[in-house]
Structures are given as C-alpha cells and as structure tokens.
Amino acid sequence: MARKKSKDTKIDWSQVSPAIIDLLKDPAVSLPRYGQVVDQKTDQSVMYDPYRITEKLQATIIKFFSEAPQTQHGQDIWLTVLKYRQGGASTCAEFAAFPKVAWTPGYDHVCIADNRERAKYLHNRLHHLYTFWPDEVKPPKVPQAERNQMTFDAKVGGKIRVLSAEQGAVGIGQSPSSMHASECPFWPNMDEALGLITPSMINRDRGLMLWESTPAPADAPSVDAWRQLYEDGKRGQGRWRSVFFPFWDGKLCSRPWDKSWTPDNEELKLLERYGSQGLQLCNLAFRRYILETVPEFRRAPDMFGVYYPFDDTTCWMSSANAVFGEHVLAKHLKAHLVEWSGPYMEYEQPEAGAQYVIGVDPSGHAARDHASFQVLKVWVGEWTQVACFASHIDPLSFTKELQRIGLKYNNAKLAIESNGVGQGVITTLRQMGYPEIIYEKPYKPGITSTSQSKDRMLASLQDALMDELRLNDLDTLSQLQTYGHDKRIEETAVSVQLRNSVGKGRRERHHWDKVSALQMAVEGARQWMPRRYKPEAPKDLKVIRFSDYTYDQVKEYKAAQKDLSPNKTSFGRKASRKSSKIRYKSIRK
C-alpha cells in the first residue's frame, strides 16, 4: 500500500511580500490572529487576547513592542512597568518579542529573569506559543534541540535567549536588539546588572528595553534599585519612561461583593480615595478574599498593597536605608495627595493675612542636580505645603521664578542654603530688591549647612512630618520614602569627573531635591517665622464675613439693608428687618 504524501507546508519566505512580513512581525497584528496561550483562569489553550485578563496592562506592552515611542533624539524609549500580581506581564513581554525576532534576520532578544526556574518557565511558555502557531505561517527554526534559546532560520529571523540574574556579570558582552527584565527587585544585584547592560544598548537607536515587576518588600535584595529606576522613568530621565497599573486593572483581581456585606472604615476610605480611578466593591471583595486566604497578608495587611498596589507611592515599604520610617510618614501615606506635574505646581492660592516661608535648594550652571523650592503656609501648629518647584534650570531663571512666587505669597520669607551656588541666588535677589530674605546672622544672609546643622535640620523635618507639617505633593512624599541623607552620600561633581562614574555606595545627584528644599523650609518655619495663630471663624452670628460669600450674595444682602434706613415707617422697618433676616439666613446656609 502506497504511503500518503504529507502536505508540504513550508513557505519560501524570500518570495513573500515585505508588506506581509511587516504585518507578521507586528505583535499587535499577528499575536491576536495566530497566537495561543494557556488561560490563567481556566488552564485551557485559547487564542491570545491582550484584554482577556487585563484592562490596559498587556495591551500597553504589546503596543510598546509594536510601535515604541521615541525620545527627542529619535531613540526608542526604555520602559519600566510597575504592576500587580497575576497580570501576565512577563509572559506578554516574551510573546510581544516573538514576532519581531521570528521575522527580522539578525534580531537578538534577551530575557533575564530573577532566577533560573522563572527563566525556564517563561521559555517554556514561548515554546508553547511556537508549537501552536499555524503551520501555514510558522517561521522556520534551525534543526536542533534548544533549551535556553530559540533560534530561527538566519534568512528569516533571529534568536531569543533567556538568562538568569543569578549568573555573575549578567548582561556583560551582550548587544541585544531588545531586552526584557523580569521581577527586577528580586535580582541579587540589579544595580550592577543595569550598569553592565546599559552601555551595550545606549547607542542602539532602535534598541528596546522593558523592565517589569511588582513592588517588593523592604528586604528584597534590589528593591531600592528597582524603585529608583522606576522613579527615573517617571521623571523622564534619559531614555527611561515609567508606567503604573493598579491592581484593579486585572480582571482576575475581583470577586462578587455579597449584598449583606457593609464596607468597613478602611474600605470606605479606599473607595473615597481610589473610586474615581476605577476601584470598585468587587476589587475590595478580592482584597478581603486575599487577606482571609493568605496567612502572610492576614498577619501584615499592608503587604496586600505591595503586591496588589493602589498607587505607585504607598506600595513601597520603608527600606532599611530610609531615613524617614513608615511611622514618620504614616499620616501622609493615608492622605489624598496630588500627582506631580512639574516644574511648578500650586496647591493653594495665597491667603490674605497668612504668612509664608520658602525653602530653597539652588543649583549652579554646571550642576547635575535640580534647583527646587518649597512654599509653606505657617500658622502655629499647622504648616501646609502650598506650592513647590523642581527643575534643571539656570540660576538666573530660577531666581526670577523664586522672586515671582515669593512676592505672590505675601512677600514670603526665603530660607536659602547659602553654601556654594546659594550665594549667587542670594546676591541676585538682593540686587532685585527682594524684601524678605532670612539672615542667619547680622550681615550674613542665607542659612549655612554644616555637619551639625544638617543633622539638626533632618531631625526638625522628622518632627514636622509627624506633627504640624501637611503635604500636598505626591512626588515629595515619594522622595521622602527613599531619602538616604542627601548631603552625606551624594557624589561630588569632581569625583564623578575624575572617575567618569558614580562610586559604589554613593548616589547620583538630583534624586532628593525637593527634600533638601523642604528641610530649609522647615528650618525657616521653626527658627525665623513669627508665632501667628490661625484665625478662627467668628462665633457671633451677627458678624458676617463677606469673604465667605459670592459677589452676588453680598449685593443681595446689602440691598436688603437699605430697607432699614431711619426714614422708613415702623411697619416698613419691621417688614424689612424680617426680610433681611430671611435673606441673611439664606446666605448663611
């Protein structure tokens, strides 16, 4: 009996139209059409859909690999993704890289996971995707068994490799076209790995990097490095950009809310704070389920917000190196703060009769750090952050902005660090005739920073954060959480120039500019501001504060008072007084 000939499904890719190849290598086109994945909820093999278990997370990663945004210099951005558990981000990133590798000759994609087991797991998911890719459009691989990489026919595509962060000097000598880093804070030494990988990617205009993870507990080996990388991207440092996804972006992070349940005080606060951002009762039901099911979270409920974050500030637990512990920042972590949108933001307009102090952390022309100032409204027992500024700006422009804001806020007193570049700012302000510069001593404007005064100012800021100080800026809180004593551990400009790098155990400048300015503001408020009590609303109902009412309401009230003139009859006066009383009550309401 003659054997049946098998169908030849091989394609001569050299004859395929370049337009077709471009569609196949685009993950936004080919993955939903041809890809299959094991569904997390049902464990069934299903067609890939970026919206199946997430609202935006997976679609964002696919979009990044499909059409990455570019910097002002025309280079692809590098993306950090801060997200929640069970969002499929790691698998999605590998799937998104697959079409680009499969149909781009010479393309080299590297995936680095925190340990060998996770690296193998991700690679097995990738093999599953390839196995179920339709034969009619399946890219040819080299005819050999491969464990930790997938190599395609050199005429058609490139290769995908997986590495473990446990390997020494991971990334050194590599020159990948794209790179995916998974669960970064759990790497043994993420800072060192990043230092070895970045030089190999920096000159590739089309080189993609995606680093992703959940936040992590304070004892994770690289949690500080991961947070700093995310913060750099959030500020747009270099090629880095950051994106955050709260846990309610995950469609699996919900459970039915029982109608017999009543939200407790904590849940009501969460709804009030995050309800407008998408948090629903079904997500709080999921939170209850996790707290009841996972012993670690039941013993420490704050851990839920680490692995299932509500925002990108409160999700970080205090590290051992942080100067300001969680007890110091507790009330600010619970407060409803405003997302920073620099370089300058106002949270309150100037108030007549109020006194203000501005803490100033200046920078010079060649300085790498940012200039910053913080504006505080100062009453006895209540200091409120009403405005702040932070930007890499030349000293003259910074001084002009400082003068403008100082005059606006009732001729605010300026507490300026007088060391180094601060002298230039002080001199310029005096030439401009600014009326309220704090003098440390007679004929000595500004405040000098010494080893003793730095410790004292730090202690004063810690006390203020626990007592009278109220923040409005979320970015200031974020800097406070990572602050590691700015002036003691920052690298000097001379040292960096001589070594052409930042020394081990030191930090880049500019990361805590707002904290430095806040220290100066608190120092000014505590040492040089007059004691002035916040005025209370009058208790006498006969006294009307027109500042509390609109212009039309004041006109209405004054018109009613005309009926009380002496030439009116007693009947008219009684009637008009009655009318006035009614109108007055309506205004009070």
Side-chain angles (χ1 to χ4, degrees):
M1 184 175 177
R3 294 175 60 186
K4 292 183 180 180
K5 293 183 178 181
S6 60
K7 292 183 179 180
D8 187 4
T9 59
K10 291 184 178 181
I11 298 175
D12 184 359
W13 290 100
S14 62
Q15 302 301 314
V16 177
S17 166
I20 299 298
I21 296 295
D22 287 341
L23 288 175
L24 287 172
K25 71 170 62 171
D26 186 348
V29 175
S30 58
L31 274 180
R33 188 177 183 87
Y34 302 117
Q36 291 193 39
V37 64
V38 177
D39 181 53
Q40 285 195 34
K41 190 171 185 178
T42 63
D43 284 333
Q44 301 295 317
S45 184
V46 297
M47 295 303 295
Y48 176 74
D49 177 4
Y51 300 101
R52 185 177 181 86
I53 64 170
T54 68
E55 296 287 350
K56 297 178 181 179
L57 170 59
Q58 293 195 20
T60 300
I61 293 174
I62 297 295
K63 180 68 173 178
F64 174 71
F65 277 91
S66 172
E67 188 180 357
Q70 295 183 358
T71 67
Q72 59 180 346
H73 302 296
Q75 295 182 308
D76 290 340
I77 68 166
W78 297 340
L79 189 66
T80 59
V81 179
L82 186 65
K83 44 81 177 185
Y84 48 93
R85 279 183 171 181
Q86 286 93 44
S90 298
T91 301
C92 176
E94 288 304 287
F95 282 10
F98 169 80
K100 298 182 77 69
V101 178
W103 283 284
T104 308
Y107 198 98
D108 182 18
H109 174 75
V110 176
C111 170
I112 305 178
D114 54 319
N115 57 55
R116 291 181 178 85
E117 292 305 316
R118 272 188 51 78
K120 291 178 182 178
Y121 170 80
L122 289 174
H123 202 57
N124 288 338
R125 285 292 180 94
L126 196 60
H127 276 282
H128 180 276
L129 178 74
Y130 180 80
T131 299
F132 288 92
W133 201 270
D135 291 339
E136 295 79 10
V137 289
K138 181 176 290 188
K141 290 199 307 178
V142 294
Q144 64 184 40
E146 296 178 306
R147 295 183 59 187
N148 295 324
Q149 70 180 39
M150 183 182 292
T151 308
F152 298 95
D153 188 319
K155 297 179 181 179
V156 180
K159 63 180 177 181
I160 297 176
R161 296 175 289 136
V162 292
L163 301 172
S164 166
E166 296 171 328
Q167 298 169 275
V170 61
I172 192 169
Q174 310 286 339
S175 185
S177 306
S178 62
M179 200 209 76
H180 165 219
S182 177
E183 299 301 333
C184 312
F186 301 98
W187 290 18
N189 193 332
M190 181 190 132
D191 261 339
E192 181 180 340
L194 185 62
L196 295 172
I197 293 167
T198 302
S200 67
M201 300 283 293
I202 195 70
N203 291 322
R204 298 186 72 109
D205 291 344
R206 301 282 78 80
L208 297 174
M209 283 210 290
L210 186 145
W211 294 56
E212 50 82 12
S213 178
T214 60
D219 58 355
S222 293
V223 64
D224 290 335
W226 167 234
R227 180 174 185 179
Q228 193 57 67
L229 184 64
Y230 174 78
E231 295 290 346
D232 285 346
K234 193 174 178 181
R235 295 186 179 93
Q237 284 293 121
R239 292 175 68 170
W240 291 106
R241 301 295 183 271
S242 296
V243 61
F244 166 74
F245 298 95
F247 81 93
W248 54 85
D249 178 84
K251 296 181 180 179
L252 301 181
C253 298
S254 66
R255 294 291 186 275
W257 180 268
D258 194 315
K259 293 182 179 180
S260 64
W261 293 349
T262 301
D264 58 30
N265 289 336
E266 180 67 19
E267 290 168 337
L268 289 173
K269 290 179 182 178
L270 291 172
L271 281 173
E272 180 182 1
R273 182 169 179 178
Y274 301 106
S276 61
Q277 302 174 32
L279 178 67
Q280 300 178 30
L281 286 174
C282 60
N283 306 122
L284 293 179
F286 172 78
R287 177 176 175 270
R288 286 190 178 191
Y289 169 75
I290 291 293
L291 294 180
E292 293 170 357
T293 306
V294 183
E296 181 185 13
F297 292 170
R298 186 170 62 249
R299 290 189 293 266
D302 289 344
M303 285 294 295
F304 178 88
V306 175
Y307 290 112
Y308 298 96
F310 292 87
D311 58 52
D312 62 353
T313 299
T314 60
C315 62
W316 306 100
M317 300 184 73
S318 239
S319 69
N321 298 323
V323 170
F324 304 102
E326 288 188 34
H327 68 288
V328 176
L329 303 175
K331 71 175 183 179
H332 307 286
L333 288 168
K334 296 177 181 179
H336 186 63
L337 306 184
V338 180
E339 188 72 40
W340 168 252
S341 177
Y344 175 69
M345 284 191 71
E346 292 181 351
Y347 309 102
E348 288 186 16
Q349 291 300 307
E351 180 182 321
Q355 58 180 2
Y356 296 89
V357 63
I358 301 180
V360 185
D361 181 32
S363 67
H365 280 283
R368 294 161 291 145
D369 58 340
H370 290 192
S372 178
F373 62 76
Q374 298 271 12
V375 186
L376 300 184
K377 180 173 65 176
V378 180
W379 300 112
V380 172
E382 183 180 308
W383 303 346
T384 305
Q385 180 190 35
V386 297
C388 64
F389 174 94
S391 178
H392 191 62
I393 187 174
D394 67 273
L396 182 57
S397 298
F398 175 70
T399 306
K400 289 180 178 179
E401 182 70 3
L402 181 59
Q403 182 198 38
R404 183 181 72 84
I405 300 304
L407 294 175
K408 178 179 179 178
Y409 280 90
N410 302 349
N411 292 342
K413 291 184 180 294
L414 303 186
I416 307 172
E417 184 180 19
S418 60
N419 301 50
V421 295
Q423 285 294 337
V425 174
I426 292 172
T427 301
T428 306
L429 283 168
R430 293 179 68 187
Q431 291 174 347
M432 291 177 174
Y434 189 82
E436 293 290 347
I437 298 175
I438 290 176
Y439 278 60
E440 186 176 41
K441 297 178 181 178
Y443 308 106
K444 191 175 182 181
I447 301 173
T448 306
S449 289
T450 64
S451 58
Q452 291 82 9
S453 67
K454 288 173 185 175
D455 291 334
R456 188 191 70 246
M457 286 191 288
L458 182 61
S460 295
L461 179 55
Q462 289 173 320
D463 289 340
L465 286 165
M466 290 188 289
D467 298 328
E468 57 266 89
L469 184 58
R470 183 171 69 85
L471 299 178
N472 279 308
D473 175 39
L474 192 60
D475 188 54
T476 298
L477 175 60
S478 179
Q479 290 193 23
L480 286 165
Q481 286 181 292
T482 59
Y483 184 74
H485 212 318
D486 184 17
K487 301 301 180 182
R488 289 196 182 280
I489 69 169
E490 77 175 3
E491 187 76 289
T492 65
V494 174
S495 299
V496 173
Q497 288 172 358
L498 290 174
R499 190 171 45 252
N500 198 29
S501 65
V502 175
K504 188 173 182 180
R506 309 291 284 185
R507 76 158 182 93
E508 290 275 9
R509 298 164 72 96
H510 80 254
H511 292 313
W512 299 313
D513 41 276
K514 290 184 178 178
V515 179
S516 299
L518 190 62
Q519 285 189 65
M520 300 304 296
V522 167
E523 182 73 2
R526 195 176 296 281
Q527 299 289 340
W528 281 279
M529 295 299 288
R531 289 180 61 83
R532 187 177 298 175
Y533 288 88
K534 184 177 182 180
E536 296 182 0
K539 298 179 180 180
D540 187 358
L541 295 179
K542 295 180 181 179
V543 178
I544 296 176
R545 297 176 61 193
F546 286 144
S547 60
D548 294 340
Y549 306 113
T550 66
Y551 176 73
D552 290 338
Q553 286 176 321
V554 173
K555 282 184 63 178
E556 181 183 2
Y557 176 78
K558 288 184 176 181
Q561 298 306 299
K562 292 181 180 180
D563 295 335
L564 297 177
S565 58
N567 59 351
K568 295 287 184 180
T569 63
S570 59
F571 174 80
R573 286 198 297 271
K574 290 180 180 179
S576 59
R577 285 184 183 130
K578 183 178 180 181
S579 173
S580 174
K581 187 176 181 181
I582 294 173
R583 290 177 182 274
Y584 170 69
K585 286 184 177 179
S586 66
I587 293 176
R588 294 293 298 179
K589 290 179 181 179

